[in-house]
Amino acid sequence: MTPAQELATAAQTLLDLADDADRDINTNPYWHSRIAPKHHWFGHGIENAVGTPAGQLAGLLNPTTARHLAKWLRSWTPIELREDAPMPEDAAAALAIAREINRSQP
């Protein structure tokens, strides 16, 4: 897989999961909270389910954040990134994030 394909695959994974999470948040009463505003429902629900700093960290990657991250990953796909050539630091970071996302998928 080329670096551009890795970036595009990770971005699409984030977009698909963000859409699925938004549907679940809007339709599943588990997420609906009387003590948190709607834009905090995801983080509030994840922190309640998982607890600890792990829950807080997971709660930060809400659907909106995932969409912004996907957009950033996609911004690197038109650029020819090659493993055997120097790569801008931000591009290397984007590729590292994409690889972690792709590696984490079943």
Side-chain angles (χ1 to χ4, degrees), residues 74-86:
R74 280 189 168 168
S75 74
W76 291 102
T77 59
I79 299 166
E80 186 178 337
L81 303 174
R82 294 184 10 215
E83 302 281 349
D84 61 343

Side-chain angles (χ1 to χ4, degrees), residues 83-104:
E83 302 281 349
D84 61 343
M87 190 179 298
E89 190 174 325
D90 285 352
L95 189 55
I97 290 168
R99 286 178 172 162
E100 287 301 318
I101 291 167
N102 294 335
R103 189 180 0 252
S104 297

Side-chain angles (χ1 to χ4, degrees), residues 23-103:
R23 271 190 296 282
D24 192 44
I25 291 165
N26 288 321
T27 60
N28 184 337
Y30 167 81
W31 298 102
H32 302 184
S33 172
R34 291 188 178 132
I35 61 172
K38 187 174 182 177
H39 63 277
H40 286 159
W41 283 359
F42 179 81
H44 183 77
I46 293 295
E47 188 174 347
N48 282 339
V50 178
T52 73
Q56 291 175 330
L57 178 61
L60 291 176
L61 190 58
N62 61 45
T64 300
T65 304
R67 285 186 182 94
H68 287 298
L69 182 54
K71 182 178 178 182
W72 180 67
L73 292 175
R74 280 189 168 168
S75 74
W76 291 102
T77 59
I79 299 166
E80 186 178 337
L81 303 174
R82 294 184 10 215
E83 302 281 349
D84 61 343
M87 190 179 298
E89 190 174 325
D90 285 352
L95 189 55
I97 290 168
R99 286 178 172 162
E100 287 301 318
I101 291 167
N102 294 335
R103 189 180 0 252

